[in-house]
């Protein structure tokens, strides 16, 4: 059979979590190496690019076809890729979620036997509900559609929801519309020999996981969160792990009065925990997806979700997300609580 006619499994990832999830899905679905095509689609900044390059190398993509679609000449590279793929049947299309216009282009521009959504943070939960509520809002603007059409990419394919599955770490239920495959990162565990390394020579660490969420009130709420964590752990070393979209200088102005070290890990937080050798007392955040991933990969960890009514009002499905966190063992800590964790 001509290689251009051989069926493929197409993986599209734009964030480190998506790439970790694609790697887990590749193994879970038994995708042969010569059938896999990974598309690294328009990472949002240099930090993201660096983390994804590290993950692609480490999680077994170096022996598989990989296409990098950076921001430079993006439309021309995308059009060339679509021309290459047009003659090849796609067994499975693995993408983040349709709320990204780049991923929606693959979703609507290519025909595949099955579409499998991999995790894209809390947007996974949002899109799960959008499918059930039939609230599909296209993220591809009229202008982008015209550009894509001029490049030969027409967004015409309609997917029957019976061919859609979710491959997720979130405890979402199966339904009449969607099949759910839940995983707990077995490939990641093996690759990084994921275990919590205890190093008694260092002060124990409490980690705060940042996230670019909350709008104008975010920084003031982060300040309250940090005050809460510092008061609970007076003798610990406290690290604030920046989300790749956060700005260190911005946080330093707000948190300068606290005994906290602001750090850009340089690699996904899950990898940092597996390889750092630190002794972690606990992890805190409002609703970072890492609350899920850390607890699943390192079930012995103490993980706390900070209950913040102000930020909660901005997060769709907040109560459901908190319930799912509780189901995997994450504890909730209220801002008004002054109790010391056990």
């Amino acid at each position: 059979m001509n290689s251009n006619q051989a069926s493929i499994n197409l993986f599209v990832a734009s964030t480190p979590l998506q790439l970790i999830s694609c790697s887990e899905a590749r193994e879970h679905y038994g995708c042969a190496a010569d059938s896999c095509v990974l598309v690294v689609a328009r990472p949002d900044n240099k930090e993201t690019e660096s983390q994804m390059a590290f993950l692609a190398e480490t999680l077994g993509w170096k022996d598989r076809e990989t296409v990098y679609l950076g921001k430079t000449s993006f439309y021309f590279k995308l059009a060339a890729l679509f021309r290459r793929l047009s003659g090849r049947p796609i067994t499975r299309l693995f993408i983040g979620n349709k709320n990204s216009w780049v991923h929606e282009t693959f979703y609507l521009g290519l025909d595949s036997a099955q579409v499998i959504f991999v995790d894209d943070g809390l947007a996974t939960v949002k899109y799960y509900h959008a499918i059930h509520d039939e609230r599909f809002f296209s993220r591809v603007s009229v202008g982008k559609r015209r550009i894509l059409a001029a490049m030969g990419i027409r967004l015409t394919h309609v997917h029957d929801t019976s061919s859609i599955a979710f491959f997720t770490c979130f405890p979402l239920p199966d339904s009449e519309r969607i099949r759910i495959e839940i995983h707990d990162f077995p490939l990641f565990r093996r690759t990084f020999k994921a275990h919590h390394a205890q190093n008694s020579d260092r002060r124990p660490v409490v980690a705060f996981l940042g996230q670019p969420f909350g709008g104008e009130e975010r920084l003031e709420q982060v300040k309250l969160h940090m005050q809460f964590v510092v008061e609970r752990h007076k003798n610990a070393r406290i690290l604030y792990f920046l989300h790749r979209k956060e700005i260190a200088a911005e946080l330093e102005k707000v948190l300068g009065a606290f005994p906290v070290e602001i750090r850009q890990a340089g690699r996904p937080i899950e990898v940092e925990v597996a390889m750092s050798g630190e002794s972690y007392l606990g992890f805190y955040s409002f609703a970072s997806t890492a609350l899920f991933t850390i607890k699943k990969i390192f079930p012995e960890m103490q993980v706390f979700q900070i209950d913040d009514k102000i930020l909660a009002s901005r997060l769709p499905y907040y109560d459901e997300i908190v319930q799912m966190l509780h189901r995997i063992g994450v504890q909730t800590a209220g801002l008004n609580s002054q109790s010391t964790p056990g």
Side-chain angles (χ1 to χ4, degrees):
M1 179 181 290
N2 186 295
S3 61
N4 288 332
Q5 297 176 332
S7 62
I8 62 172
N9 290 287
L10 181 63
F11 300 81
V12 184
S14 301
T15 69
L17 177 59
Q18 290 174 6
L19 184 50
I20 290 172
S21 300
C22 281
S23 304
E24 297 287 351
R26 181 194 69 208
E27 178 173 271
H28 177 84
Y29 288 93
C31 301
D34 60 0
S35 76
C36 294
V37 178
L38 170 65
V39 179
V40 178
R42 204 169 180 171
D44 47 36
N45 56 38
K46 293 296 184 182
E47 180 65 26
T48 303
E49 289 179 8
S50 175
Q51 291 191 16
M52 294 186 73
F54 167 79
L55 289 170
E57 174 73 17
T58 310
L59 292 176
W61 292 99
K62 60 184 177 182
D63 296 326
R64 293 162 173 82
E65 182 179 353
T66 301
V67 180
Y68 289 92
L69 299 180
K71 292 182 180 180
T72 304
S73 304
F74 173 76
Y75 288 100
F76 292 100
K77 293 175 182 176
L78 183 67
L81 176 62
F82 267 61
R83 286 194 295 271
R84 284 180 52 204
L85 296 176
S86 62
R88 303 183 68 176
I90 300 174
T91 303
R92 300 182 187 92
L93 170 62
F94 298 87
I95 60 174
N97 74 74
K98 203 174 72 68
N99 286 323
S100 159
W101 76 266
V102 176
H103 287 243
E104 185 178 359
T105 298
F106 284 87
Y107 178 79
L108 296 178
L110 295 172
D111 191 18
S112 61
Q114 185 178 27
V115 176
I116 299 174
F117 288 97
V118 299
D119 279 333
D120 185 33
L122 298 179
T124 303
V125 178
K126 181 179 178 181
Y127 190 56
Y128 172 86
H129 284 284
I131 291 176
H132 289 88
D133 299 339
E134 297 185 348
R135 292 183 289 105
F136 299 99
F137 302 104
S138 177
R139 299 298 297 271
V140 186
S141 67
V142 173
K144 285 188 175 68
R145 283 179 180 268
R146 288 173 179 166
I147 295 173
L148 292 169
M151 307 296 289
I153 301 173
R154 300 190 180 279
L155 310 184
T156 58
H157 290 290
V158 178
H159 296 276
D160 182 351
T161 56
S162 64
S163 68
I164 291 177
F166 273 52
F167 183 76
T168 176
C169 70
F170 294 91
L172 294 167
D174 270 328
S175 75
E176 74 285 353
R177 293 198 171 199
I178 304 172
R179 177 174 175 79
I180 303 293
E181 295 287 344
I182 298 174
H183 70 95
D184 63 355
F185 304 96
L187 174 63
F188 185 101
R189 292 166 182 271
R190 291 200 313 275
T191 302
F192 296 102
K193 297 180 173 56
H195 60 278
H196 179 29
Q198 299 286 343
N199 190 328
S200 59
D201 296 332
R202 303 182 188 179
R203 287 174 62 198
V205 171
V206 171
F208 188 94
L209 309 173
Q211 56 191 131
F213 174 85
E216 295 179 356
E217 297 167 312
R218 179 177 72 91
L219 292 177
E220 187 59 34
Q221 294 310 112
V222 167
K223 185 176 180 179
L224 293 175
H225 294 179
M226 188 54 59
Q227 180 180 351
F228 171 69
V229 172
V230 168
E231 290 177 353
R232 290 188 104 198
H233 299 277
K234 292 183 173 61
N235 298 316
R237 179 174 165 226
I238 298 177
L239 300 182
Y240 186 111
F241 284 103
L242 289 163
H243 186 278
R244 65 185 187 280
K245 291 185 178 181
E246 288 186 299
I247 301 172
E250 186 180 67
L251 270 298
E252 288 167 356
K253 290 180 181 179
V254 176
L255 303 180
F258 297 106
V260 56
E261 177 185 340
I262 297 174
R263 176 183 294 184
Q264 180 63 265
R267 49 192 179 185
I269 185 61
E270 299 84 1
V271 177
E272 177 69 17
V273 174
M275 301 178 68
S276 69
E278 299 282 7
S279 176
Y280 289 96
L281 287 178
F283 290 80
Y284 289 81
S285 185
F286 164 61
S288 170
T289 306
L291 294 175
F292 280 92
T293 57
I294 291 292
K295 190 62 180 178
K296 280 220 159 183
I297 297 171
F298 312 96
E300 75 280 8
M301 291 286 194
Q302 291 261 316
V303 181
F304 299 92
Q305 184 265 332
I306 297 177
D307 187 27
D308 182 331
K309 300 304 181 186
I310 292 176
L311 293 186
S313 67
R314 295 175 174 269
L315 181 62
Y317 309 108
Y318 174 74
D319 291 338
E320 179 182 348
I321 289 168
V322 171
Q323 289 175 7
M324 288 193 293
L325 284 165
H326 290 171
R327 285 174 58 188
I328 65 169
V330 174
Q331 303 174 57
T332 290
L335 279 178
N336 294 324
S337 171
Q338 299 301 317
S339 60
T340 301

